[in-house]
Structure formats: C-alpha cells, structure tokens
Amino acid sequence: MHLRIVDAFTVRPFTGNPAGVILLDDVFPDDDRLQNVAMEVNHTETAFAHPLPEGGDTDWALRWFTPVTEVAMCGHATLATAHVLHTTGAHEGPVRFATRSGVLIATPAADGSLTLDFPTAPLTPAELPAGVAEALGTQPLAAFDTGPDVGDLLVELADEKTVRGLSPDHKALGAYSARGIIATARAEDPARGYDYVSRCFFPNIGIDEDPVTGSAHTALAPYWSPRLGRDDLTGFQASRRTGLVRTGLRGARTLLTGHAVTVIEGDLRA
C-alpha cells in the first residue's frame, strides 16, 4: 500500500485537516486490515479507494476509517482523495465516488480547488439534553439533530468568542449524539473572510476535536444560509489547525469547496 498524508481544506501545509489516502489497485482487503492501517496512520480519517469498471455510474469506490471505526461520511478525506487522484493523474475531471452515503462527486477547478457534492443534512429542532451545557461549559441558544448520515447534535452558541473559548468535557459529550457535537456561532466580523465559525467534538469515534469537518458543513450550510440570507457562504473551523470551507446550499445537496496539500508520501511495509 502506498500512503499519502494530505492536509485538506487549506492551502498551507500543517493546517487544515490531515487525512491518510491509499489508492488500491483492486478491491478492498478485509475490514480488519483497513482498520489496522487506519489505527497506524492515526489521523482523524484514512481513506481507501479503488477504481471501478468503466461505463458505470461511479468511478472509484471509497471508504473512510478513523483510528477506531469506519464512518458513513467524511468530507475532508474525500477532498484529500480527489486531490490525490487529480495531482497524480489517476483521474481527470469530475470523479464519482461510490460510498456508504451514496454517490459523492468531486469536481476540480482551474484554481486548484475541489468542490464536493454531498447530501444536505436534515435539521430537526431538538430539546437540549440535560447535561450538554455543563459538558460544553456554556449554555447553547438552540439545538438541532443533523440526521443519520452526519449523526451530530448541532448547537448554536452566543458568539464567536464563546465558540473559540470552548474547553469541553469530551467524555461527557459522548452521551448526547451518535458521533458528537457541532458548536457554531455567527462570525463576529464577516470582513475577515468568513460568515460563521464552528468547532466539532467527536468522542464517540475516537476524535476529541476534529480540525476541519466537511460533513459537519452539510448541516452548517442549511443552518446558516436561511439566517444570513445567502446560499453561498464561508465557514471557518476554529480548531488549533483551522480551516475554511466554502458552502453552497443547493436544496437537497450541499457543495463544499476547498483546497488540499500533500505533505507526506511513502509505503506501508507491514
């Protein structure tokens, strides 16, 4: 297996969200093998992809594993995989991935960015579970369920400063959703180049804080676009590494646009 480490949703190495990317010549090996490799890579996600026969509805099969489990959807590792396919010449033009979340399409642009076409998360208002405020360290203004594909509880906080200052009890947060918590607020100053901020905590899949989360933005886009009156927005994920995700709400689909940078390349020897 040939491994690349790609920083996604960034133009600078050592920022954004790192993902392992492994392009396979043929079908996926057994699940234990994939999980062990992802555990060894030890980034938030490792993506495994192999080409599919020509003439079908999809071009590559794609799966994603955290260090502890397989996930149903991952934005940054999809962006990273598309980046590797295009920069290595393994695929030209839009690439259609067959995944557990259906067909996901990544389209390259002349400026080097890639746009992902993902399903929009269905947002359902939710009663704030008892204990969430204590686990976060602040009282949310509202809470929403993000549906089965994303599997998070989305909470709006008072302001950007509150989101940036969070120091949650990660273990306690695991009790309130399938994957974790998306905390968000309106940008304090849109002149800085983004419209809303977020941070994502996913203790249930072994990730205390995800650096930049594409899948979360399929819920953030339908949350903020109606409130800000625009379909096209930019989200800033205020993790330590930081990253920008341009979002385009298109009804049942959400477009996620960003850049990626390959930082490490090598071979797995075991």
Side-chain angles (χ1 to χ4, degrees):
M1 291 183 177
H2 192 72
L3 169 70
R4 294 171 176 87
I5 304 297
V6 177
D7 291 343
F9 292 115
T10 183
V11 295
R12 295 183 294 112
F14 316 120
T15 60
N17 200 350
V21 177
I22 295 174
L23 302 184
L24 303 164
D25 294 329
D26 206 341
V27 297
F28 297 115
D30 64 78
D31 289 2
D32 287 344
R33 171 70 168 157
L34 298 176
Q35 188 62 73
N36 283 335
V37 170
M39 180 176 63
E40 191 74 12
V41 174
N42 201 35
H43 282 311
T44 52
E45 257 89 19
T46 298
F48 300 88
H50 70 76
L52 295 170
E54 294 184 6
D57 294 332
T58 51
D59 306 303
W60 288 74
L62 177 62
R63 296 172 70 181
W64 315 276
F65 287 76
T66 78
V68 299
T69 190
E70 185 174 9
V71 296
M73 179 189 289
C74 180
H76 85 279
T78 303
L79 185 78
T81 304
H83 168 80
V84 170
L85 289 172
H86 287 100
T87 56
T88 62
H91 190 91
E92 295 183 358
V95 55
R96 301 166 300 171
F97 292 110
T99 78
R100 287 174 57 182
S101 295
V103 178
L104 305 178
I105 301 173
T107 303
D111 65 356
S113 67
L114 289 151
T115 295
L116 309 179
D117 183 331
F118 270 45
T120 300
L123 297 182
T124 305
E127 291 291 332
L128 187 70
V132 169
E134 291 76 9
L136 281 173
T138 189
Q139 181 66 45
L141 304 178
F144 292 80
D145 180 83
T146 60
D149 286 339
V150 176
D152 297 328
L153 183 70
L154 185 151
V155 296
E156 183 182 356
L157 304 186
D159 51 34
E160 179 176 334
K161 181 179 179 180
T162 302
V163 173
R164 288 178 176 271
L166 289 175
S167 183
D169 181 337
H170 297 288
K171 184 177 180 180
L173 287 180
Y176 303 113
S177 63
R179 183 172 69 165
I181 302 287
I182 305 168
T184 187
R186 189 181 301 229
E188 180 179 307
D189 181 6
R192 294 177 180 171
Y194 54 89
D195 302 289
Y196 57 90
V197 297
S198 65
R199 289 175 67 188
C200 294
F201 309 102
F202 303 143
N204 290 336
I205 57 170
I207 302 166
D208 282 348
E209 181 168 4
D210 198 33
V212 192
T213 315
S215 59
H217 285 76
T218 67
L220 290 163
Y223 186 75
W224 284 111
S225 282
R227 288 162 175 78
L228 299 178
R230 289 182 288 122
D231 289 337
D232 297 318
L233 301 171
T234 298
F236 177 76
Q237 197 150 331
S239 66
R240 180 179 178 184
R241 292 177 63 101
T242 73
L244 288 171
V245 182
R246 300 203 307 271
T247 57
L249 186 62
R250 303 293 185 267
R253 309 295 293 185
T254 293
L255 306 181
L256 310 172
T257 300
H259 288 78
V261 183
T262 300
V263 292
I264 296 173
E265 188 171 350
D267 294 314
L268 291 167
R269 303 299 296 272

